Amino acid sequence: MQKPALSLFNSLTRRHEAFEPVHPGEARVYSCGPTVYNYPHIGNMRAYVFADILGRTLSYKGYRLTHVINITDVGHLTDDADAGEDKLEKAAAAKAQSIWEIARHYTEAYWQDVRSLNIRQPAHWSVATDYIEEMIAFADEIAERHCYEIDSGLYFDVSTVADYGRLARAATGEGEGRIEQVEGKRHAADFAIWRKTPPGEMRQMEWDSPWGRGAPGWHLECSVMSGKLLGFPFDIHTGGIDHREIHHPNEIAQNQAFCGCGSLAEPVNSGARIWMHNNFLVERTGKMSKSSGEFLRLQLLIDRGYHPLAYRMMCLQAHYRSELEFSWSGLGAALTRLKRLVIAAERLHDLESTEEIPSKLLPLIEKFDAAISDDLNTPVALTVLEEILAMKKVAPEGKRAAVELVDSVLGLDLMSIIRRNLRLRPVSTIMSEEEIEAVLTRRDAARAAKDFAKSDALREQLAAKGVEVMDGDQLRWDWVLAE
Ligand SMILES: Nc1ncnc2c1ncn2[C@@H]1O[C@H](COP(=O)(O)OP(=O)(O)OP(=O)(O)O)[C@@H](O)[C@H]1O
Ligand SMILES: [Zn+2]
């Protein structure tokens, strides 16, 4: 079977492009990772579900994948422009804790969510503070031609690279006010690549550099870690759509400077060939954001009885470039859909897959391949998975082979989880599983004695406590989840 070429939407050209690896047979991907000053919200995790689908698709297509996700533990300011405080310094001050403890705690919390969402481990988790020396060396290399020093630090002069900001397609001219002014900057869009610790201020994280004691800029970190671990140019750089506006244009400017493509006459090396951005998860009130106080964590979904893979399912039901609105009812619908898939797939668990996909299923595999090759169209890919599971008169071993193949990309863990695993106890519930089973045993006895009034009363009693009795279902009962 001839696999269709993988077509991906490149934010840089605003076009779909056939994926052609820089190194034959390989795919090298860098994803901007979390800033570990707080728990990730489920919007942040959408970015990693997307990056995971991309990575799985590249593996499915036969490329040897090297995926890097960084952990930002220094340098990300509360404002994407060069104003504001370091997010981690601020969190550490507020909690009177060491910044290293804060970073460790929230990195662990993020990894927990990564595991819960069945996101594959990348080849490297690169931690920003492990690369300070390399950052200083990178900055030193480009400083003379592209940077200038002012009181607050070393700044990148965006006029020294060709076509600055083309990724954002935003007005970047002086005085247009896209970026806040910092005293002494030459152009509004110039940004700090090294920030000096202001006199009299104490920072927990600071290092010596040719530009004084201080800390690296956030944009510098990603340029350095991606270049170091993947080599310029690498294949694909990912992030949330907010990064298309400032963070990634600044990374690109640095990469151009570093690769010696600093003049208008030279060809541009943006560091990565393809830049991809996932759209936001939003709430009715707007973009989900940590900065706005209250926010939804994956753990809250779990506490309310929603299995984390229901959230993965919810993400897959939307194309990554579409905005996705979160609602509890939407999550409930995704969970129901997942339950159906799991029930259908569970029947295949004890079988050995055939080596070849049965010919009857090949058209569906082709349909799946076409969908996922079309800029990762997961909504269509999901419907194909359902068609495969619903297919009649196919040897179950062959069906299993097809489901395994498709799920290697979608990552719903269908060959491991069973329906029972999806029944999570909401923390708010007052009944224990044993109590429920005890009531059901009494109800069975009532039914056996044809005392249907009693049997109905017991069912009502459970319903009043948020438990649904499911006659004829192997699982017998389930929680009714709050929406
Ligand atoms: N609502 C959202 N939906 C999808 N992706 C998002 C959303 N908010 C942030 N992201 C992405 O999540 C990833 C991690 O972001 P990061 O940890 O830096 O969060 P942040 O920008 O500090 O948080 P926030 O913007 O929520 O205050 C980035 O790729 C970012 O673009
Ligand atoms: Zn980044």
Side-chain angles (χ1 to χ4, degrees):
M1 188 176 70
Q2 181 75 29
K3 285 190 179 178
L6 176 60
S7 161
L8 300 171
F9 185 83
N10 188 352
S11 300
L12 206 51
T13 56
R14 299 288 202 271
R15 278 203 306 262
H16 289 90
E17 290 174 16
F19 176 71
E20 279 165 20
V22 174
H23 306 271
E26 273 194 59
R28 302 187 184 183
V29 181
Y30 182 89
S31 300
C32 282
T35 310
V36 286
Y37 69 106
N38 203 337
Y39 294 105
H41 56 64
I42 54 173
N44 298 134
M45 296 315 293
R46 186 181 186 200
Y48 306 107
V49 170
F50 150 64
D52 183 51
I53 291 289
L54 173 66
R56 286 169 176 269
T57 300
L58 289 161
S59 300
Y60 164 77
K61 289 284 188 184
Y63 298 106
R64 196 147 36 82
L65 174 70
T66 309
H67 192 182
V68 176
I69 305 180
N70 74 286
I71 302 289
T72 298
D73 55 353
V74 66
H76 193 173
L77 303 191
T78 49
D79 188 320
D80 270 357
D82 278 315
E85 300 164 74
D86 186 296
K87 291 187 180 194
L88 270 119
E89 293 275 349
K90 188 178 167 196
K95 298 205 167 86
Q97 267 180 326
S98 118
I99 220 164
W100 303 100
E101 275 170 46
I102 300 249
R104 185 165 2 98
H105 177 78
Y106 293 118
T107 302
E108 291 291 341
Y110 164 71
W111 282 337
Q112 177 63 44
D113 287 0
V114 162
R115 285 190 294 272
S116 301
L117 290 168
N118 202 28
I119 291 168
R120 293 197 307 185
Q121 293 289 319
H124 306 274
W125 293 109
S126 59
V127 179
T129 49
D130 290 342
Y131 290 83
I132 301 293
E133 230 174 86
E134 287 87 345
M135 290 173 200
I136 292 172
F138 185 114
D140 209 22
E141 180 104 10
I142 63 172
E144 203 184 320
R145 286 181 68 195
H146 301 277
C147 305
Y148 57 93
E149 213 177 323
I150 55 177
D151 284 349
S152 55
L154 184 69
Y155 278 73
F156 191 96
D157 180 337
V158 299
S159 71
T160 62
V161 291
D163 212 6
Y164 171 76
R166 69 192 177 287
L167 178 67
R169 308 264 164 97
T172 53
E174 197 146 15
E176 300 207 29
R178 189 170 75 90
I179 299 203
E180 254 179 75
Q181 282 291 2
V182 169
E183 196 70 38
K185 277 204 316 191
R186 291 182 191 159
H187 314 94
D190 290 354
F191 54 92
I193 66 173
W194 187 267
R195 306 168 57 77
K196 289 186 208 174
T197 307
E201 216 174 87
M202 282 280 290
R203 286 183 55 103
Q204 288 194 42
M205 281 185 174
E206 53 178 15
W207 297 263
D208 286 322
S209 84
W211 317 282
R213 213 166 157 71
W218 173 42
H219 315 303
L220 179 66
E221 299 175 4
C222 283
S223 278
V224 170
M225 291 185 281
S226 60
K228 171 96 189 157
L229 293 165
L230 300 176
F232 291 134
F234 56 92
D235 295 298
I236 305 174
H237 195 310
T238 80
I241 197 158
D242 48 338
H243 290 347
R244 205 179 61 184
E245 306 309 315
I246 298 177
H247 182 46
H248 290 171
N250 290 352
E251 269 189 57
I252 289 175
Q254 295 166 151
N255 298 349
Q256 282 176 250
F258 189 80
C259 295
C261 312
S263 84
L264 287 162
E266 291 169 70
V268 165
N269 183 344
S270 303
R273 281 201 180 159
I274 298 182
W275 293 75
M276 293 177 75
H277 296 97
N278 64 278
N279 210 323
F280 282 141
L281 179 77
V282 296
E283 291 179 278
R284 214 156 298 154
T285 48
K287 172 193 175 289
M288 194 166 289
S289 164
K290 280 184 276 211
S291 324
S292 65
E294 278 273 288
F295 61 85
L296 289 174
R297 285 175 53 193
L298 194 63
Q299 188 57 45
L300 178 68
L301 274 47
I302 297 168
D303 288 348
R304 289 178 64 157
Y306 292 90
H307 195 279
L309 288 177
Y311 177 64
R312 184 177 175 104
M313 173 64 120
M314 192 179 188
C315 291
L316 300 188
Q317 290 184 148
H319 189 262
Y320 76 90
R321 288 199 295 122
S322 314
E323 213 170 69
L324 171 61
E325 185 175 311
F326 177 80
S327 69
W328 291 101
S329 58
L331 183 64
L335 178 59
T336 302
R337 192 172 181 195
L338 178 64
K339 283 176 186 169
R340 291 202 186 108
L341 283 177
V342 168
I343 290 167
E346 219 179 305
R347 298 189 193 116
L348 311 173
H349 278 190
D350 296 333
L351 306 169
E352 282 280 326
S353 294
T354 50
E355 262 177 44
E356 304 256 310
I357 308 274
S359 58
K360 207 170 166 198
L361 288 176
L362 282 180
L364 285 176
I365 294 294
E366 272 170 37
K367 200 168 153 190
F368 164 76
D369 204 331
I372 209 71
S373 304
D374 178 15
D375 196 26
L376 315 178
N377 194 336
T378 51
V380 172
L382 269 175
T383 62
V384 180
L385 175 60
E386 284 162 335
E387 284 181 69
I388 293 173
L389 281 163
M391 193 75 144
K392 301 256 166 27
K393 299 194 182 129
V394 188
E397 292 80 3
K399 195 182 263 194
R400 179 181 164 126
V403 171
E404 252 179 325
L405 187 68
V406 169
D407 200 37
S408 73
V409 175
L410 297 179
L412 291 168
D413 208 12
L414 293 179
M415 284 306 137
S416 315
I417 53 169
I418 56 169
R419 171 67 183 85
R420 173 73 186 78
N421 302 142
L422 296 176
R423 191 172 73 190
L424 298 189
R425 182 169 192 253
V427 289
S428 64
T429 189
I430 30 173
M431 275 190 110
S432 69
E433 279 87 341
E434 294 71 33
E435 286 166 329
I436 295 167
E437 295 291 351
V439 175
L440 285 177
T441 306
R442 280 165 55 211
R443 184 167 173 268
D444 287 345
R447 274 155 64 101
K450 301 220 166 1
D451 184 350
F452 296 114
K454 184 168 179 194
S455 147
D456 285 351
L458 290 170
R459 172 197 276 268
E460 289 305 314
Q461 186 187 324
L462 288 172
K465 300 228 165 109
V467 175
E468 183 196 1
V469 178
M470 304 182 302
D471 288 324
D473 190 302
Q474 221 187 0
L475 203 61
R476 282 163 53 88
W477 64 272
D478 205 351
W479 305 104
V480 181
L481 304 183
E483 285 191 349

